[in-house]
Amino acid sequence: AQSVTQLGSHVSVSEGALVLLRCNYSSSVPPYLFWYVQYPNQGLQLLLKYTTGATLVKGINGFEAEFKKSETSFHLTKPSAHMSDAAEYFCAVRFYNNNDMRFGAGTRLTVKP
Amino acid sequence: ETGVTQTPRHLVMGMTNKKSLKCEQHLGHNAMYWYKQSAKKPLELMFVYNFKEQTENNSVPSRFSPECPNSSHLFLHLHTLQPEDSALYLCASSQAATSGSRLDTQYFGPGTRLTVL
């Protein structure tokens, strides 16, 4: 079955530390992959996406993600966390054989001073 | 205005009320979507419109009635809702909504926070 899983509903890091948010998908054919961020009381904002080509994708606000086909993963990273990065992050996949965008359950990132 | 806008941002209604949520996109897109975001649950796709035609209805109760008069506007008409319908309702748009298309990056509005008493 096609699915998307985000490991860890809550991640807490210190300011300046590495941010790593995990996303895995289940599909026999690599899908299109997205990361969205949601700040409190706001809608979802696209951070970055992978469709084809280079597997390391750079997004806004210093985030990047790497598509690893062998691991069926699309983890989101940022070298140094800022307080303003505190938000909820959603991984989403778009499988070839349907019109749905499937979202993960979300990971809430907390940044400690 | 740019992007995707939604009105109202907050709505409180009784179970017997009738209200409508409005979404407008200024991106020249052809597909629009309604999502429901409840606490501690993944985003739930409700409806998809592609070129003004409804292409998807994910088993949504009939007390939610969508309307898409043109590619730029999308409404969600609400009547006789239940308290469990309280949630953040998000509208999104994309250039197209065809299977396997890379054109369907979705752009979201800020949402309407709905509370049903």
Side-chain angles (χ1 to χ4, degrees), chain A residues 18-55:
Chain A
L18 171 72
V19 176
L20 171 61
L21 305 182
R22 300 177 187 275
C23 175
N24 288 86
Y25 66 89
S26 173
S27 173
S28 58
V29 178
Y32 297 136
L33 298 153
F34 306 81
W35 275 101
Y36 285 87
V37 60
Q38 185 178 33
Y39 298 102
N41 299 314
Q42 294 188 30
L44 275 66
Q45 180 182 0
L46 181 68
L47 269 179
L48 48 81
K49 64 180 178 181
Y50 169 79
T51 54
T52 59
T55 57

Side-chain angles (χ1 to χ4, degrees), chain A residues 3-9 11 19-27 31-36 47-48 50 64-77 89-95 101-107:
Chain A
S3 64
V4 55
T5 304
Q6 290 183 241
L7 296 176
S9 58
V11 170
V19 176
L20 171 61
L21 305 182
R22 300 177 187 275
C23 175
N24 288 86
Y25 66 89
S26 173
S27 173
Y32 297 136
L33 298 153
F34 306 81
W35 275 101
Y36 285 87
L47 269 179
L48 48 81
Y50 169 79
E64 61 183 38
E66 186 172 11
F67 168 58
K68 292 187 176 180
K69 183 179 176 181
S70 60
E71 299 178 8
T72 61
S73 69
F74 191 56
H75 301 330
L76 182 71
T77 60
Y89 292 80
F90 293 91
C91 179
V93 300
R94 176 74 159 69
F95 298 106
M101 179 89 89
R102 302 275 178 88
F103 285 83
T107 297

Side-chain angles (χ1 to χ4, degrees), chain B residues 7-92:
Chain B
T7 54
R9 293 294 309 275
H10 300 272
L11 179 61
V12 179
M13 58 187 289
M15 292 168 62
T16 58
N17 292 159
K18 287 185 180 181
K19 295 286 185 183
S20 295
L21 310 184
K22 179 183 176 182
C23 176
E24 185 173 0
Q25 59 94 1
H26 310 271
L27 300 169
H29 289 165
N30 296 305
M32 297 187 78
Y33 311 77
W34 278 117
Y35 287 88
K36 177 182 178 182
Q37 186 178 30
S38 306
K40 301 182 180 179
K41 292 172 89 172
L43 240 64
E44 301 172 57
L45 178 65
M46 300 175 72
F47 302 104
V48 180
Y49 276 83
N50 202 25
F51 294 92
K52 301 188 297 178
E53 298 296 322
Q54 187 180 128
T55 57
E56 200 140 345
N57 174 341
N58 274 357
S59 304
V60 180
S62 59
R63 58 186 183 269
F64 295 92
S65 173
E67 178 190 1
C68 188
N70 55 61
S71 292
S72 299
H73 293 85
L74 184 65
F75 295 89
L76 188 62
H77 303 299
L78 317 170
H79 65 98
T80 59
L81 295 191
Q82 305 297 313
E84 59 265 28
D85 297 322
S86 298
L88 182 68
Y89 288 84
L90 293 165
C91 173

